[in-house]
Amino acid sequence: MLTLYLLGSYLRKYASDEDVSNKALVATYASSTFAILLLNCAASAVTGSVHIPFARDCSIFVLLQAVSLFIMFKRYNFASVSVNGVSRHVLAAYLFEGAFRASVLPLIIDVGMYQGSEMWPALSILISLLTITACVLIDVPIQRVVALVVDVLQFLVNRVLRAD
């Protein structure tokens, strides 16, 4: 996830996308999505259980999807206040999500008894929203404390530099 974030930052700043047509971007995204679905279905059929190795981490297909989406978003200059607000907390969600699911979530609900039921998709969405909300609520005070510490350190450094 972090690699994709860095890739997007690089593309935003340095990539020249004039040579790539919209049709090529859409075709790249669609064919990568199709390949991911096909290969994951094949892996699941071979192993007898659900596996998604081609939709995880930084497989070549996920990278192709990311690059094509990043270039499309850059080209059309999509912007959203809510998306930008949530994106400020991506690092916190990345860092805290696993710990929250492992330690806090079992205290709230036993998800094992709902797996495979009709309620499982809706419950999964609710759990994901709860997890992201918790990560944001953890991150907001941390960002304020870090900002305060940075301000104090800048003040002290400036004071020391002016004293000479």
Side-chain angles (χ1 to χ4, degrees), residues 15-118:
S16 172
D17 61 348
E18 293 96 22
D19 299 341
V20 183
S21 71
N22 289 337
K23 288 180 183 178
L25 291 173
V26 171
T28 300
Y29 184 81
S31 60
S32 295
T33 302
F34 180 72
I36 287 171
L37 290 172
L38 185 68
L39 291 169
N40 284 337
C41 287
S44 297
V46 168
T47 61
S49 62
V50 176
H51 287 285
I52 57 166
F54 299 99
R56 297 184 52 85
D57 304 322
C58 287
S59 75
I60 188 67
F61 303 110
V62 172
L63 289 172
L64 287 171
Q65 283 181 317
V67 168
S68 59
L69 277 178
F70 288 146
I71 291 173
M72 282 190 274
F73 274 60
K74 178 184 171 193
R75 182 174 288 168
Y76 294 109
N77 206 10
F78 290 116
S80 168
V81 173
S82 59
V83 170
N84 289 339
V86 171
S87 69
R88 249 182 266 138
H89 305 287
V90 167
L91 181 62
Y94 177 74
L95 294 175
F96 301 138
E97 180 268 336
F100 180 82
R101 284 186 189 259
S103 59
V104 178
L105 198 58
L107 299 173
I108 298 171
I109 189 170
D110 178 20
V111 294
M113 64 188 239
Y114 294 102
Q115 287 179 335
S117 74
E118 302 83 32

Side-chain angles (χ1 to χ4, degrees), residues 110-136:
D110 178 20
V111 294
M113 64 188 239
Y114 294 102
Q115 287 179 335
S117 74
E118 302 83 32
M119 292 180 59
W120 180 242
L123 187 61
S124 293
I125 292 169
L126 183 65
I127 289 170
S128 297
L129 291 173
L130 176 67
T131 302
I132 294 299
T133 302
C135 291
V136 168

